[in-house]
Amino acid sequence: MLTTSVDRALQFAEGYLPKFGQTHANSLQTGVDRAFGALADALGLATTRTMFDNVRALAEAEYEWQLALAGYLGVAGSAVGNAPRLAVARLAEVSKKGETIDSPLGLLRVWTLALGQATHSAMQSGDGIAASARLVRATTEHQLRLENLIALAADAVGLVTRCDLDEAYREIHLLKRQMRSLRRDRATNAAPAKRKRASANGSAIATREQA
Amino acid sequence: MTTTVGPSEIRRAMAAIRITPGSVVREASDVPRKIWHGISALANFSEEELAIATTPKQEIYRDDMIRLYRYLPTVEHDLGIPVLIVYALVGRYQMIDLEQDRSFVRKLLDAGLTVYMVDWGLPTRAQRWTTIDDYVSGYLDDCVDVVRTHEGVDTINLLGICQGGVISTCYAALFPDKLATLTLAITPLDFHGDAGCPQPGTAYMNQWARGLTGEDIDRYIAAHGNVAGDSVGLSFLMMDPVANAGKYTVDLLSILDDDRKLLNFLHMERWLADRPSTPGEVARQWLKDLYQDNKLVKNELVLGGRTVDLRNITMPVLNVYAEGDVVVPNSTTRGVGPRLGTSDYTELGVPGGHIGTFVGGKAQRVLGPEIIDWLKARNGAQQ
């Protein structure tokens, strides 16, 4: 995982490098892939090549995640910039009412209220909502690519992947839903039994089939 | 941000600050005392003192991770028509029975109501494909039938809280014949109700969800399966990050030498730490159909092939809102009466915020008695 703070800082710095290097790398890789891809697959390197593609995709997702996080923190930082003005305005209001702040904790509370107000305004602004959405997208993309990579590795050694499990769960879920529907149909067709108050302190726990 | 500060305002602000070296020393010397007291108290609270949701109850039905409880009566008489409480999926039902002396459930029991509670449990990856319809037409309908059979009645009182209120509303629209009354508490119904009156600090979740695209949500669910309880907890923290930072620092420090308040704090933390995951399909529908497309009040929400038409809600409805609710702003819950099919629609405002509705002292003095009186009046009229 490229998530140490040093790596993050380096990756963020790389965001300012010219893009032509990446473009050339991509072109070279595409060319090699087109020329020798089939041969590599025939030699049993298909999984390795796919893994490499996924590692690259994960790195790209990590890069985008760093940018999205920086954007999000930038919005949060703008709130810190606005908070002092709001704090002064709040203190002026206190003074106008003839009240005073005579405790450090009281002053700290004025500051946190001002910072909270500034944070709300920043995070619920157009920029704040957009930065938040970008961060969700980037986090999701990173997770998906990481899962792809792990699934590929698991598949290569014959282990069950999360997708396999999810599909099994889906089948079970659909079967349960059909069972419930059949049970309802059976209950509807059966003669309606008169409701009778059950014992309030009965010890048996009903299950779905008994209910 | 349009706030501007001039020299005169700065002078006025400085005039408000009257911190003296003596007050600094006094407060600073108080801090170690509070910390030492707090450390001792935190270590010495017994598990019994820390326990939440202690009102005695009996499990009468279970299905998958769902449990249905019947609370043991505390008085001899009962109203005849039981109350089934449906809490949200994003939190555990213990909230409304958090502390013995402020338990909403105990208030209902002491008034002679027969109280049942659905515990939605802790969904796992196996519930990845569980939909809102599975909750409404499956689990909840089964629970309602069990209560009807158990009590020997045709109809029951349904009381839905927050997200559970939405589930209850859908249920009332799809199965109106099984309900005597519907009570909603702090329930979002018009998910775009905040759009006309944007106010920083409120309805952040509504705006956040509308800032995403449908594809963003689909990919999120594909990536994560369920929405983990931790993620839900983080999203609530981020609604007010500064206040939450203050809660664990300045606010906590100020109560460390007050055992009662510290215990309240710990009870709430115990509840917060037990946050369930939300099944992926439920989260997808919730965010897309409700937060983004606002289908419930448009009568466009489709569950299991059936349209949820609010005009089918013909039983008496009590809609409780919290006056200071920033999670479910009043604009998203009030004023839905004309959209319902009932002619008996009542709104009740209680002081406090979202969670404060069920744990706040002021709200508790209003909430329990008002709901009990409203239920008694309706149930009495039907008997």
Side-chain angles (χ1 to χ4, degrees):
Chain A
M1 290 282 289
L2 306 172
T3 50
T4 66
S5 51
V6 175
D7 287 338
R8 284 179 184 170
L10 286 172
Q11 286 190 332
F12 188 65
E14 281 169 8
Y16 294 100
L17 292 173
K19 293 281 183 188
F20 68 86
Q22 283 186 6
T23 309
H24 277 281
N26 287 344
S27 300
L28 178 63
Q29 189 194 343
T30 303
V32 170
D33 194 59
R34 285 174 179 168
F36 304 110
L39 174 65
D41 287 355
L43 295 173
L45 294 173
T47 302
T48 308
R49 291 192 327 109
T50 313
M51 287 281 275
F52 179 76
D53 285 347
N54 276 271
V55 168
R56 198 182 58 175
L58 179 62
E60 285 171 3
E62 175 76 18
Y63 175 75
E64 167 57 17
W65 185 74
Q66 300 295 340
L67 292 181
L69 184 62
Y72 186 83
L73 292 175
V75 174
S78 73
V80 177
N82 281 323
R85 280 186 288 164
L86 291 169
V88 168
R90 277 177 179 270
L91 285 169
E93 281 294 311
V94 169
S95 180
K96 204 185 276 183
K97 289 179 192 166
E99 297 168 0
T100 56
I101 305 282
D102 54 7
S103 113
L105 272 179
L107 189 59
L108 186 60
R109 287 210 172 84
V110 171
W111 165 250
T112 54
L113 282 172
L115 183 60
Q117 189 184 346
T119 305
H120 286 311
S121 294
M123 298 319 297
Q124 290 184 248
S125 67
D127 285 347
I129 295 293
S132 182
R134 185 180 179 186
L135 189 58
V136 170
R137 263 175 226 126
T139 309
T140 300
E141 200 60 33
H142 186 274
Q143 177 75 11
L144 279 171
R145 293 185 180 193
L146 186 63
E147 285 173 9
N148 280 346
L149 194 62
I150 292 170
L152 202 65
D155 200 43
V157 292
L159 291 177
V160 173
T161 67
R162 209 201 70 184
C163 286
D164 297 332
L165 277 177
D166 273 352
E167 280 310 305
Y169 283 138
R170 189 207 287 265
E171 288 291 325
I172 293 168
H173 180 74
L174 292 174
L175 287 169
K176 278 185 170 179
R177 198 182 276 170
Q178 285 175 12
M179 277 176 59
R180 175 174 270 126
S181 176
L182 289 170
R183 184 166 47 84
R184 290 258 162 84
D185 289 347
R186 196 182 62 187
T188 306
N189 293 333
K194 191 175 168 118
R195 292 190 186 284
K196 190 177 175 186
R197 193 179 178 112
S199 167
N201 54 8
S203 59
I205 297 166
T207 62
R208 184 169 52 190
E209 293 310 307
Q210 294 163 334
Chain B
M1 190 77 57
T2 55
T3 312
T4 53
V5 176
S8 64
E9 203 157 26
I10 291 175
R11 271 196 299 277
R12 202 178 293 143
M14 294 306 289
I17 303 172
R18 286 281 179 270
I19 298 173
T20 61
S23 68
V24 174
V25 170
R26 203 165 40 247
E27 204 159 271
S29 62
D30 210 24
V31 170
R33 182 188 61 78
K34 286 186 172 181
I35 290 175
W36 282 115
H37 182 96
I39 288 172
S40 166
L42 286 168
N44 289 325
F45 284 132
S46 68
E47 267 307 308
E48 283 170 8
E49 288 174 300
L50 294 170
I52 58 173
T54 56
T55 304
K57 58 186 182 296
Q58 180 184 30
E59 181 186 320
I60 61 164
Y61 173 73
R62 62 169 64 187
D63 181 14
D64 293 338
M65 68 291 181
I66 312 292
R67 301 288 181 271
L68 176 65
Y69 296 112
R70 182 183 192 275
Y71 285 96
L72 302 185
T74 57
V75 293
E76 284 292 324
H77 63 284
D78 75 72
L79 281 182
I81 302 182
V83 180
L84 174 60
I85 301 176
V86 180
Y87 197 71
L89 302 175
V90 293
R92 298 299 301 281
Y93 72 96
Q94 286 96 329
M95 168 50 65
I96 60 168
D97 185 27
L98 198 67
E99 295 180 315
Q100 194 169 338
D101 55 345
R102 289 189 288 177
S103 165
F104 175 67
V105 168
R106 280 181 195 263
K107 283 192 171 63
L108 299 185
L109 291 170
D110 291 345
L113 294 168
T114 304
V115 183
Y116 286 81
M117 171 78 74
V118 182
D119 173 9
W120 296 123
L122 297 169
T124 65
R125 193 80 192 195
Q127 277 74 47
R128 159 75 177 83
W129 305 100
T130 306
T131 62
I132 293 178
D133 182 52
D134 290 316
Y135 276 98
V136 173
S137 308
Y139 296 130
L140 181 55
D141 190 39
D142 285 345
C143 288
V144 169
D145 284 347
V146 169
V147 175
R148 291 164 70 220
T149 304
H150 209 258
E151 295 294 324
V153 295
D154 291 325
T155 57
I156 67 163
N157 299 302
L158 193 63
L159 195 166
I161 297 165
C162 188
Q163 204 178 20
V166 175
I167 291 171
S168 300
T169 301
C170 294
Y171 185 82
L174 295 174
F175 302 91
D177 295 341
K178 296 184 182 182
L179 300 186
T181 67
L182 172 67
T183 301
L184 304 173
I186 50 172
T187 296
L189 296 165
D190 180 358
F191 284 77
H192 289 182
D194 64 297
C197 47
Q199 200 181 352
T202 68
Y204 177 67
M205 195 68 90
N206 302 58
Q207 292 176 31
W208 174 84
R210 290 199 294 268
L212 300 172
T213 65
E215 189 188 355
D216 290 337
I217 293 164
D218 289 340
R219 288 183 71 75
Y220 184 90
I221 301 302
H224 296 276
N226 294 340
V227 180
D230 295 348
S231 300
V232 175
L234 181 64
S235 69
F236 278 107
L237 283 176
M238 294 311 288
M239 282 184 197
D240 200 345
V242 178
N244 281 306
K247 175 187 157 188
Y248 292 102
T249 51
V250 182
D251 296 347
L252 178 58
L253 183 64
S254 68
I255 62 165
L256 275 177
D257 60 344
D258 185 329
D259 287 358
R260 184 64 241 171
K261 286 182 179 171
L262 190 55
L263 207 48
N264 291 346
F265 172 85
L266 294 176
H267 287 150
M268 181 61 79
E269 289 307 296
R270 184 164 275 207
W271 176 74
L272 285 170
D274 188 24
R275 204 174 273 290
S277 298
T278 301
E281 289 309 301
V282 170
R284 187 203 307 275
Q285 285 178 296
W286 189 262
L287 290 170
K288 291 174 75 173
D289 289 353
L290 298 175
Y291 270 119
Q292 289 191 331
D293 297 335
N294 200 23
K295 288 182 177 177
L296 184 62
V297 289
K298 294 180 187 169
N299 293 330
E300 292 174 0
L301 183 65
V302 177
L303 298 181
R306 292 194 295 167
T307 302
V308 177
D309 189 337
L310 299 183
R311 290 166 296 191
N312 291 337
I313 299 178
T314 51
M315 71 291 300
V317 175
L318 173 63
N319 187 6
V320 181
Y321 62 93
E323 287 158 357
D325 199 335
V326 296
V327 180
V328 179
N330 293 176
S331 57
T332 64
T333 188
R334 296 188 65 186
V336 293
R339 299 176 191 272
L340 310 179
T342 183
S343 56
D344 183 356
Y345 173 81
T346 310
E347 284 186 357
L348 169 67
V350 295
H354 191 67
I355 295 300
T357 307
F358 288 94
V359 294
K362 283 183 188 169
Q364 281 294 291
R365 280 193 286 277
V366 178
L367 185 72
E370 290 282 350
I371 288 181
I372 290 161
D373 287 347
W374 186 87
L375 283 173
K376 280 181 175 174
R378 269 70 186 176
N379 288 174
Q382 291 183 18
Q383 283 178 328

